[in-house]
Amino acid sequence: IDSDITAHLESIRQLCTTRNSLMPISCLPPEVLANIFVQYAAQINLRSPSISLGCSTDWWIAVTYVCRHWREVALATPRLWSSLSFQRPKWVPEMIIRSRMAPL
């Protein structure tokens, strides 16, 4: 029974991925979506320096849970991970890895 449940859950996950891929936002090239994320991050940092010094990365974590496409794009965009959040020290090593060669 457990293996049947696992198989059905995987089928549901695949169907959700297919449905999400049909949404208009999913038609954007990854470079355009990444640029939207980067521009939004810049606007947040300009409007509220306290956010940029505090939990600015929290919303990036939320973005990675929207859908598989957004997660792949966000994880592959080093500039999103170059502002380290020391309020969550356990995230810092992973953020450094994700930031790749982007200036910290």
Side-chain angles (χ1 to χ4, degrees):
I1 291 177
D2 287 342
S3 63
D4 285 346
I5 290 171
T6 301
H8 287 295
L9 290 174
E10 178 60 23
S11 295
I12 291 169
R13 190 183 64 76
Q14 288 293 333
L15 288 169
C16 288
T17 297
T18 301
R19 180 192 58 206
N20 288 345
S21 71
L22 299 174
M23 299 302 226
I25 189 98
S26 295
C27 296
L28 288 176
E31 299 81 10
V32 173
L33 188 58
N35 193 31
I36 290 169
F37 291 161
V38 168
Q39 294 300 319
Y40 183 71
Q43 290 300 311
I44 286 210
N45 290 341
L46 288 175
R47 280 186 284 178
S48 181
S50 64
I51 291 176
S52 66
L53 294 174
C55 296
S56 64
T57 56
D58 289 358
W59 74 277
W60 284 124
I61 301 303
V63 162
T64 66
Y65 287 98
V66 171
C67 68
R68 184 177 296 174
H69 179 60
W70 282 30
R71 179 175 181 78
E72 290 170 358
V73 171
L75 293 178
T77 306
R79 288 176 52 193
L80 297 179
W81 307 101
S82 61
S83 295
L84 304 178
S85 173
F86 291 102
Q87 286 188 323
R88 303 199 193 273
K90 66 180 182 178
W91 291 0
V92 172
E94 186 63 29
M95 291 180 70
I96 291 172
I97 292 168
R98 291 178 183 177
S99 69
R100 297 186 192 132
M101 297 301 291
L104 299 176

